[in-house]
Amino acid sequence: MKKTLFSIMALAMALVSCTNEVLTDVDGYGTIVLSVNNDETVTRAAKAVADLNGWVVKANNGSEEITLTTASTKVKAGKYTVSAQSHASEAEALTVNDGWGAAYYEGTSGEVTVVAGQPADAVVNCGTAKNARLKVQFSLISNFTEYSLTAERNLVFNSDNAASALAYYAATEEVEYTLNYKYNDTPKKITGKITMKGAATENIISIASNDNGTISVTVNYDDTFGTGNSENLEFDAATGEEVKE
């Protein structure tokens, strides 16, 4: 009798154990497996974001919004859209890297259906950057010394950093700049402005001189991502005044 009772208890415990395992699989939760892709600002080369640290990623099922902190997150079964941003906001993207800013990306997935006990892939294609960037190029003869260009947010381009420095601004922002230099040891200053020509454009200020004492400031753009305009300015290096045709 005792053996029979023990066997019945053991069977009951086994049934409970099996029931718990089944409930674990159908407890109303599935897993969102996240993949975020973005296009590099200038090359249009789509790539997967390897490290989502610093990104803001959220899943929304219509009644609640869940922040996803890993690429694989367990959530309640249901239908979701997943949004991803490279920074908390586009404005914040302009404050990083000591104020030089960074490319800002954002995107939203299509509807993702999460089934209990199963993984569901959520792919967010961010496309190209939503902001623009500014680059400065110098090509000056030796008569020019101590030259630098200061753009808005007090970002200084000079001979030391111009080869690699990039400043990010809103897609259509008008950026004022000041060019300071010495010509034959005489200080000079030129002011101007350039308008960013849309999202994911690289806008370039080229500053060049020739042997007859004229300084040329060329403002153009990288039109890989669309049509813009260009502006060519010439300045007399000795007086700092614009040379008109």
Side-chain angles (χ1 to χ4, degrees), residues 1 13 24 52 70 75 81 90 95 104 113 132 145 149 171 180 182 189 193 206:
M1 182 67 179
M13 291 176 66
T24 299
L52 291 173
T70 62
V75 298
T81 55
E90 184 175 350
T95 67
Y104 174 73
T113 300
T145 58
L149 183 142
N180 288 284
K182 285 186 176 181
K189 180 171 74 173
K193 60 184 65 175
S206 296

Side-chain angles (χ1 to χ4, degrees), residues 32-47:
I32 290 180
V33 181
L34 178 66
S35 175
V36 178
N37 303 304
N38 66 307
D39 293 350
E40 293 182 351
T41 307
V42 173
T43 64
R44 286 183 178 268
K47 63 177 183 178

Side-chain angles (χ1 to χ4, degrees), residues 131-148:
N131 53 3
R133 71 188 189 191
L134 175 66
K135 185 176 182 179
V136 176
Q137 297 175 336
F138 294 100
S139 181
L140 298 170
I141 60 175
S142 59
N143 300 64
F144 293 86
T145 58
E146 299 180 26
Y147 53 85
S148 65

Side-chain angles (χ1 to χ4, degrees), residues 38-46 103 105 127-129 131-135 166 168 199-204 221-226:
N38 66 307
D39 293 350
E40 293 182 351
T41 307
V42 173
T43 64
R44 286 183 178 268
Y105 299 95
T128 54
N131 53 3
R133 71 188 189 191
L134 175 66
K135 185 176 182 179
L166 296 169
Y168 290 83
T201 59
E202 181 174 274
N203 303 268
I204 303 172
Y221 60 93
D222 183 329
D223 65 352
T224 306
F225 302 99

Side-chain angles (χ1 to χ4, degrees), residues 159-193:
S159 59
D160 293 329
N161 68 4
S164 59
L166 296 169
Y168 290 83
Y169 294 93
T172 58
E173 183 175 351
E174 184 179 78
V175 179
E176 296 183 352
Y177 63 83
T178 301
L179 172 65
N180 288 284
Y181 65 96
K182 285 186 176 181
Y183 181 73
N184 292 333
D185 294 326
T186 301
K188 300 290 180 181
K189 180 171 74 173
I190 297 171
T191 60
K193 60 184 65 175

